[in-house]
Amino acid sequence: MGNTCFMNTALQCLSNCIPLTDYFLGYDFKKEINATNPIGFKGAVAEAYGLLVNTLWQGARGDALAPSDFKSAIDAVMPHFQGYAQHDVHEFLAFLLDAVHEDLNRVEAAAREAWRGYLLRNKPIIVDLFQGQLRSSLQCRRCLHTSVTFDPFMYLSVPMPRDSGSSSGDGGGSAPSLERCIELFCEEESLSGENAWFCPKCRTATAATVRMV
Ligand SMILES: [Zn+2]
């Protein structure tokens, strides 16, 4: 379908996320659609995705499928992706996950407290499957005071090794492994100079070390 490989890639990844696919296959997801969520799409995106997953996984094995209905549903709510030009796969995946999330979001009150209470009792499936929490620790180099923070995340942007593709001795392959990229992401970093940390113990900006743990 034109240059929509960005969409194909995102759909292949997401539809092979088995717990989410099981949810759309084995559950009447239409019952969970929130058609009045002001930041959703009246259920159109979740419904189009759910139907696509059903067609993909219940069709005959090996059949190819042109997801034209799904593409039209996306075009109708997101003009940015109209046409058959190339787009960024991460941008599309982010849009799709957020849209499915909001379309299946049973919370109608926007209040933060209500949302928090809701999460405690009944987390939506997208949060269960795709959100995580980062634990990062900052340590003052002077007094060794450590501060730990937790941040929720939906996407991790991991760095690529600079020497990827060269003879770095890690097997000679040209693509670095995901594990290697995540290792780099978790590597210790120093904060100093302009980025110095204000240590609450020393009560001054000091050099510090940040670490994801
Ligand atoms: Zn300190």
Side-chain angles (χ1 to χ4, degrees):
M1 293 172 64
N3 289 324
T4 59
C5 46
F6 71 93
M7 185 174 80
N8 189 16
T9 308
L11 291 174
Q12 299 279 358
C13 286
L14 202 55
S15 99
N16 278 284
C17 175
I18 301 306
L20 185 64
T21 289
D22 281 349
Y23 168 86
F24 280 107
L25 292 180
Y27 189 75
D28 185 5
F29 65 90
K30 289 187 185 172
K31 278 197 280 191
E32 301 227 303
I33 282 182
N34 180 345
T36 56
N37 182 355
I39 52 173
F41 296 96
K42 300 189 164 47
V45 177
E47 188 163 348
Y49 183 72
L51 292 176
L52 176 67
V53 166
N54 275 273
T55 317
L56 266 178
W57 290 83
Q58 290 176 346
R61 246 165 189 260
D63 276 4
L65 177 82
S68 325
D69 291 346
F70 174 80
K71 175 80 169 70
S72 310
I74 299 295
D75 287 356
V77 298
M78 196 65 180
H80 177 67
F81 293 114
Q82 271 173 15
Y84 296 93
Q86 299 192 42
H87 285 282
D88 182 76
V89 62
H90 174 249
E91 190 188 351
F92 180 75
L93 191 57
F95 160 76
L96 182 59
L97 276 175
D98 287 345
V100 170
H101 175 73
E102 293 305 342
D103 276 352
L104 295 177
N105 193 341
R106 282 170 284 173
V107 178
E108 303 201 359
R112 183 177 285 262
E113 275 313 304
W115 171 237
R116 190 181 300 168
Y118 173 78
L119 280 183
L120 286 176
R121 294 190 309 276
N122 201 354
K123 293 181 291 170
I125 187 163
I126 300 296
V127 174
D128 278 358
L129 295 179
F130 298 106
Q131 293 194 1
Q133 196 164 247
L134 285 176
R135 177 187 193 276
S136 57
S137 69
L138 263 165
Q139 188 172 47
C140 171
R141 292 245 185 91
R142 189 195 285 179
C143 74
L144 301 184
H145 172 70
T146 305
S147 152
V148 174
T149 52
F150 296 95
D151 294 296
F153 69 91
M154 181 99 149
Y155 316 102
L156 282 186
S157 296
V158 294
M160 297 276 279
R162 255 188 232 143
D163 58 353
S164 76
S166 69
S167 52
S168 55
D170 56 355
S174 55
S177 68
L178 181 58
E179 286 74 14
R180 179 71 191 120
C181 296
I182 292 175
E183 265 172 38
L184 275 180
F185 177 78
C186 296
E187 256 176 19
E188 224 173 71
E189 234 184 283
S190 305
L191 296 183
S192 57
E194 272 188 5
N195 299 319
W197 179 53
F198 187 88
C199 171
K201 276 242 170 102
C202 300
R203 293 177 179 276
T204 177
T206 63
T209 309
V210 200
R211 232 158 30 107
M212 295 289 170
V213 212

PDB file of all heavy atoms in Angstrom, residues 139-146 197-204 206-207, ligand 1:
ATOM      1  N   GLN A 139      23.628  10.579  42.666  1.00  0.00           N
ATOM      2  CA  GLN A 139      24.481  10.575  43.850  1.00  0.00           C
ATOM      3  C   GLN A 139      25.448  11.751  43.817  1.00  0.00           C
ATOM      4  O   GLN A 139      26.149  11.967  42.821  1.00  0.00           O
ATOM      5  CB  GLN A 139      25.258   9.266  43.952  1.00  0.00           C
ATOM      6  CG  GLN A 139      26.004   9.170  45.278  1.00  0.00           C
ATOM      7  CD  GLN A 139      26.625   7.809  45.489  1.00  0.00           C
ATOM      8  OE1 GLN A 139      27.268   7.283  44.588  1.00  0.00           O
ATOM      9  NE2 GLN A 139      26.435   7.239  46.666  1.00  0.00           N
ATOM     10  N   CYS A 140      25.466  12.472  44.932  1.00  0.00           N
ATOM     11  CA  CYS A 140      26.378  13.603  45.062  1.00  0.00           C
ATOM     12  C   CYS A 140      27.798  13.059  45.200  1.00  0.00           C
ATOM     13  O   CYS A 140      28.045  12.190  46.020  1.00  0.00           O
ATOM     14  CB  CYS A 140      25.996  14.428  46.295  1.00  0.00           C
ATOM     15  SG  CYS A 140      27.213  15.702  46.683  1.00  0.00           S
ATOM     16  N   ARG A 141      28.725  13.601  44.409  1.00  0.00           N
ATOM     17  CA  ARG A 141      30.097  13.103  44.487  1.00  0.00           C
ATOM     18  C   ARG A 141      30.800  13.571  45.753  1.00  0.00           C
ATOM     19  O   ARG A 141      31.759  12.982  46.194  1.00  0.00           O
ATOM     20  CB  ARG A 141      30.895  13.632  43.282  1.00  0.00           C
ATOM     21  CG  ARG A 141      30.427  13.030  41.988  1.00  0.00           C
ATOM     22  CD  ARG A 141      31.505  12.177  41.373  1.00  0.00           C
ATOM     23  NE  ARG A 141      31.059  11.712  40.070  1.00  0.00           N
ATOM     24  CZ  ARG A 141      31.296  12.382  38.954  1.00  0.00           C
ATOM     25  NH1 ARG A 141      31.978  13.500  38.965  1.00  0.00           N
ATOM     26  NH2 ARG A 141      30.849  11.922  37.814  1.00  0.00           N
ATOM     27  N   ARG A 142      30.289  14.660  46.319  1.00  0.00           N
ATOM     28  CA  ARG A 142      30.982  15.218  47.472  1.00  0.00           C
ATOM     29  C   ARG A 142      30.591  14.488  48.763  1.00  0.00           C
ATOM     30  O   ARG A 142      31.437  14.005  49.494  1.00  0.00           O
ATOM     31  CB  ARG A 142      30.653  16.703  47.599  1.00  0.00           C
ATOM     32  CG  ARG A 142      31.507  17.401  48.633  1.00  0.00           C
ATOM     33  CD  ARG A 142      30.947  18.748  49.023  1.00  0.00           C
ATOM     34  NE  ARG A 142      31.176  19.755  47.990  1.00  0.00           N
ATOM     35  CZ  ARG A 142      30.750  21.016  48.104  1.00  0.00           C
ATOM     36  NH1 ARG A 142      30.074  21.390  49.168  1.00  0.00           N
ATOM     37  NH2 ARG A 142      30.979  21.869  47.144  1.00  0.00           N
ATOM     38  N   CYS A 143      29.255  14.381  49.039  1.00  0.00           N
ATOM     39  CA  CYS A 143      28.845  13.796  50.323  1.00  0.00           C
ATOM     40  C   CYS A 143      28.236  12.408  50.152  1.00  0.00           C
ATOM     41  O   CYS A 143      27.830  11.783  51.127  1.00  0.00           O
ATOM     42  CB  CYS A 143      27.854  14.714  51.029  1.00  0.00           C
ATOM     43  SG  CYS A 143      26.221  14.687  50.268  1.00  0.00           S
ATOM     44  N   LEU A 144      28.105  11.956  48.894  1.00  0.00           N
ATOM     45  CA  LEU A 144      27.555  10.643  48.570  1.00  0.00           C
ATOM     46  C   LEU A 144      26.062  10.502  48.896  1.00  0.00           C
ATOM     47  O   LEU A 144      25.510   9.404  48.867  1.00  0.00           O
ATOM     48  CB  LEU A 144      28.353   9.503  49.241  1.00  0.00           C
ATOM     49  CG  LEU A 144      29.837   9.445  48.858  1.00  0.00           C
ATOM     50  CD1 LEU A 144      30.501   8.225  49.483  1.00  0.00           C
ATOM     51  CD2 LEU A 144      30.031   9.425  47.341  1.00  0.00           C
ATOM     52  N   HIS A 145      25.403  11.632  49.190  1.00  0.00           N
ATOM     53  CA  HIS A 145      23.952  11.584  49.384  1.00  0.00           C
ATOM     54  C   HIS A 145      23.299  11.093  48.088  1.00  0.00           C
ATOM     55  O   HIS A 145      23.678  11.501  46.994  1.00  0.00           O
ATOM     56  CB  HIS A 145      23.421  12.978  49.742  1.00  0.00           C
ATOM     57  CG  HIS A 145      21.932  13.052  49.768  1.00  0.00           C
ATOM     58  ND1 HIS A 145      21.174  12.436  50.736  1.00  0.00           N
ATOM     59  CD2 HIS A 145      21.053  13.660  48.929  1.00  0.00           C
ATOM     60  CE1 HIS A 145      19.891  12.654  50.487  1.00  0.00           C
ATOM     61  NE2 HIS A 145      19.795  13.401  49.399  1.00  0.00           N
ATOM     62  N   THR A 146      22.309  10.192  48.215  1.00  0.00           N
ATOM     63  CA  THR A 146      21.670   9.613  47.029  1.00  0.00           C
ATOM     64  C   THR A 146      20.184   9.926  47.025  1.00  0.00           C
ATOM     65  O   THR A 146      19.524   9.824  48.060  1.00  0.00           O
ATOM     66  CB  THR A 146      21.866   8.083  47.004  1.00  0.00           C
ATOM     67  OG1 THR A 146      23.258   7.825  47.080  1.00  0.00           O
ATOM     68  CG2 THR A 146      21.316   7.477  45.727  1.00  0.00           C
ATOM     69  N   TRP A 197      24.205  19.136  39.835  1.00  0.00           N
ATOM     70  CA  TRP A 197      22.982  18.829  40.588  1.00  0.00           C
ATOM     71  C   TRP A 197      22.968  19.630  41.880  1.00  0.00           C
ATOM     72  O   TRP A 197      24.009  19.783  42.533  1.00  0.00           O
ATOM     73  CB  TRP A 197      22.957  17.332  40.871  1.00  0.00           C
ATOM     74  CG  TRP A 197      21.783  16.867  41.664  1.00  0.00           C
ATOM     75  CD1 TRP A 197      20.463  17.098  41.385  1.00  0.00           C
ATOM     76  CD2 TRP A 197      21.806  16.080  42.855  1.00  0.00           C
ATOM     77  NE1 TRP A 197      19.667  16.490  42.325  1.00  0.00           N
ATOM     78  CE2 TRP A 197      20.457  15.866  43.235  1.00  0.00           C
ATOM     79  CE3 TRP A 197      22.819  15.530  43.624  1.00  0.00           C
ATOM     80  CZ2 TRP A 197      20.102  15.129  44.360  1.00  0.00           C
ATOM     81  CZ3 TRP A 197      22.475  14.786  44.747  1.00  0.00           C
ATOM     82  CH2 TRP A 197      21.127  14.587  45.111  1.00  0.00           C
ATOM     83  N   PHE A 198      21.821  20.111  42.279  1.00  0.00           N
ATOM     84  CA  PHE A 198      21.736  20.810  43.550  1.00  0.00           C
ATOM     85  C   PHE A 198      21.528  19.771  44.642  1.00  0.00           C
ATOM     86  O   PHE A 198      20.441  19.226  44.811  1.00  0.00           O
ATOM     87  CB  PHE A 198      20.597  21.837  43.568  1.00  0.00           C
ATOM     88  CG  PHE A 198      20.613  22.682  44.807  1.00  0.00           C
ATOM     89  CD1 PHE A 198      21.362  23.852  44.865  1.00  0.00           C
ATOM     90  CD2 PHE A 198      19.913  22.287  45.937  1.00  0.00           C
ATOM     91  CE1 PHE A 198      21.404  24.611  46.026  1.00  0.00           C
ATOM     92  CE2 PHE A 198      19.951  23.046  47.107  1.00  0.00           C
ATOM     93  CZ  PHE A 198      20.700  24.216  47.141  1.00  0.00           C
ATOM     94  N   CYS A 199      22.601  19.460  45.372  1.00  0.00           N
ATOM     95  CA  CYS A 199      22.516  18.440  46.416  1.00  0.00           C
ATOM     96  C   CYS A 199      21.825  19.030  47.636  1.00  0.00           C
ATOM     97  O   CYS A 199      22.260  20.057  48.157  1.00  0.00           O
ATOM     98  CB  CYS A 199      23.908  17.935  46.781  1.00  0.00           C
ATOM     99  SG  CYS A 199      23.882  16.878  48.243  1.00  0.00           S
ATOM    100  N   PRO A 200      20.729  18.409  48.095  1.00  0.00           N
ATOM    101  CA  PRO A 200      20.005  18.965  49.235  1.00  0.00           C
ATOM    102  C   PRO A 200      20.810  18.893  50.533  1.00  0.00           C
ATOM    103  O   PRO A 200      20.546  19.667  51.457  1.00  0.00           O
ATOM    104  CB  PRO A 200      18.744  18.100  49.335  1.00  0.00           C
ATOM    105  CG  PRO A 200      19.030  16.862  48.565  1.00  0.00           C
ATOM    106  CD  PRO A 200      20.091  17.197  47.562  1.00  0.00           C
ATOM    107  N   LYS A 201      21.779  17.998  50.609  1.00  0.00           N
ATOM    108  CA  LYS A 201      22.597  17.896  51.823  1.00  0.00           C
ATOM    109  C   LYS A 201      23.682  18.975  51.837  1.00  0.00           C
ATOM    110  O   LYS A 201      23.871  19.685  52.812  1.00  0.00           O
ATOM    111  CB  LYS A 201      23.265  16.511  51.912  1.00  0.00           C
ATOM    112  CG  LYS A 201      22.353  15.473  52.524  1.00  0.00           C
ATOM    113  CD  LYS A 201      22.942  14.932  53.825  1.00  0.00           C
ATOM    114  CE  LYS A 201      21.945  14.077  54.574  1.00  0.00           C
ATOM    115  NZ  LYS A 201      22.198  12.648  54.427  1.00  0.00           N
ATOM    116  N   CYS A 202      24.421  19.041  50.727  1.00  0.00           N
ATOM    117  CA  CYS A 202      25.491  20.044  50.631  1.00  0.00           C
ATOM    118  C   CYS A 202      24.913  21.450  50.451  1.00  0.00           C
ATOM    119  O   CYS A 202      25.615  22.437  50.631  1.00  0.00           O
ATOM    120  CB  CYS A 202      26.413  19.742  49.459  1.00  0.00           C
ATOM    121  SG  CYS A 202      27.238  18.153  49.546  1.00  0.00           S
ATOM    122  N   ARG A 203      23.667  21.539  50.058  1.00  0.00           N
ATOM    123  CA  ARG A 203      22.996  22.811  49.789  1.00  0.00           C
ATOM    124  C   ARG A 203      23.748  23.647  48.761  1.00  0.00           C
ATOM    125  O   ARG A 203      23.818  24.865  48.858  1.00  0.00           O
ATOM    126  CB  ARG A 203      22.798  23.609  51.077  1.00  0.00           C
ATOM    127  CG  ARG A 203      21.811  22.933  52.000  1.00  0.00           C
ATOM    128  CD  ARG A 203      21.645  23.659  53.307  1.00  0.00           C
ATOM    129  NE  ARG A 203      20.679  22.978  54.138  1.00  0.00           N
ATOM    130  CZ  ARG A 203      19.357  23.161  54.040  1.00  0.00           C
ATOM    131  NH1 ARG A 203      18.848  23.999  53.181  1.00  0.00           N
ATOM    132  NH2 ARG A 203      18.546  22.471  54.819  1.00  0.00           N
ATOM    133  N   THR A 204      24.273  22.952  47.792  1.00  0.00           N
ATOM    134  CA  THR A 204      24.944  23.674  46.715  1.00  0.00           C
ATOM    135  C   THR A 204      24.974  22.787  45.475  1.00  0.00           C
ATOM    136  O   THR A 204      24.735  21.584  45.567  1.00  0.00           O
ATOM    137  CB  THR A 204      26.374  24.082  47.141  1.00  0.00           C
ATOM    138  OG1 THR A 204      27.012  24.714  46.028  1.00  0.00           O
ATOM    139  CG2 THR A 204      27.214  22.883  47.539  1.00  0.00           C
ATOM    140  N   THR A 206      26.524  20.508  42.981  1.00  0.00           N
ATOM    141  CA  THR A 206      27.732  19.686  43.032  1.00  0.00           C
ATOM    142  C   THR A 206      27.761  18.746  41.825  1.00  0.00           C
ATOM    143  O   THR A 206      26.746  18.539  41.164  1.00  0.00           O
ATOM    144  CB  THR A 206      27.755  18.790  44.288  1.00  0.00           C
ATOM    145  OG1 THR A 206      26.644  17.881  44.201  1.00  0.00           O
ATOM    146  CG2 THR A 206      27.661  19.592  45.559  1.00  0.00           C
ATOM    147  N   ALA A 207      28.918  18.192  41.593  1.00  0.00           N
ATOM    148  CA  ALA A 207      29.020  17.164  40.561  1.00  0.00           C
ATOM    149  C   ALA A 207      28.301  15.920  41.081  1.00  0.00           C
ATOM    150  O   ALA A 207      28.355  15.617  42.273  1.00  0.00           O
ATOM    151  CB  ALA A 207      30.483  16.848  40.281  1.00  0.00           C
TER     152      ALA A 207
HETATM  153 ZN    ZN B   1      26.142  16.424  48.648  1.00  0.00          ZN
END
